[in-house]
Amino acid sequence: MTSGHSAGSTPAAFLDDFATMSSFGATAAGGVDREAATADDGRTRRFLADWFDRHGLTTTVDAVGNMYGSIEFVPGAPYVLVGSHLDSQPTAGKYDGAYGVLAAAHAVRGIVEMVERGSLIPQFNIAAVNWFNEEGSRFSPSLMGSGVFIGKFDADEILKVTDRVGISVRDALSDIGFHGNDRQPEAVSYAEIHIEQGPILEQEGTTIGIVTANWAARKYSITVHGEQSHTGATHMALRHDALVGASKIVVAARELTQQFPEGLLLASVGQFDVEPNSPIVVPSKVTMAIDIRSSDPDVLEQAHEMLMAAIDKETEVRISIDTSALRPSTSYQIEGVELAEKAATDLGLSYRRMLTMAGHDSVNLKDIVPTVMLFVPSVDGISHSEKELTHDDDLLHGVTMLTETVARLVRGDLESSS
Ligand SMILES: [Zn+2]
């Protein structure tokens, strides 16, 4: 084994950096509000770039705002990438994504020190990454930066995407100084650590989750078309109320989940806009976003059919499905899972294999390179909320685990095991 602890990243330094980082876009309730390419995302990014500088890493930024803090050990060799995302939901917790980016930065620094000490002979180079717009709240779709990195999205198309007030990704990134033109590093493998966003690790008292696969998900944007009229002067039989039609779909999404054993299907409408949204007007139009997920791809497909049937049944209004996207359940490479298990065993940390319900940039990266996804406990499983909490000792165990995992990737353990 390479190291029993994360050299170069003292617990105090990590917690201190995390506190500083969490001050950008801080909310009164203890969370953060820093959607992609906002001023507060920019402040957090400048903190990270400065951190990279101070720790001897070279900062580069690609066209879609992905940031890399890299170091070349082996001229011309590809890079082990390790990262997550700094952007957040509108009012969010301070751990989701940001923890993984800072942990990655500290892991890279720890590995540089191992190499300098001679306790690690690198086969590959290494870079910490902050992926642009993982959350997809300001700009849709989510997992944007990593999606461009793996070639799933076209950079020029992504740069044209606009937010709700018409600002493009290109302009928003330019405004904060992060529309770069640096080349993407060539990846050989990827690692990411994230809070679990579920209650399993905390309930079991397990320190580390090693992710084997992601839940399948379907996301829809839907428009309900009604007919605008006077709320006080239109006979009920003549109404085409978009809000009534939309409400039935909201309830149908909830009722879908009751058709399956508890916990097998999750469904919600998370976004809902009513037009013209005036007190004396029967609504003419509702746009909404539906998100359904399952650990079982067959259940997801059944739920999809049932949702489509509920939409077809509607007669008072017309419903159009503007976009419908499937994120299939796919597996992380088993050799990466086993590498992480060995690392946890050697460090004496308790661990278990598990699925991820939420999407992560690692779901994209694993399509092109062997990828290790790690979790640390989330208190009560709360996430996308200012109440999100992971205890300091869990944060620190995660940094140690990530450092050890990435050290093995840099040493070439994956290649020698296969
Ligand atoms: Zn996240």
Side-chain angles (χ1 to χ4, degrees), residues 84-85 87 95-98 134-135 192 194 197 359-360 384:
S84 195
H85 60 96
D87 71 307
Y95 301 90
D96 179 350
E134 190 268 358
E135 296 288 357
E192 177 166 355
H194 203 280
Q197 304 176 287
H360 295 289
H384 285 186

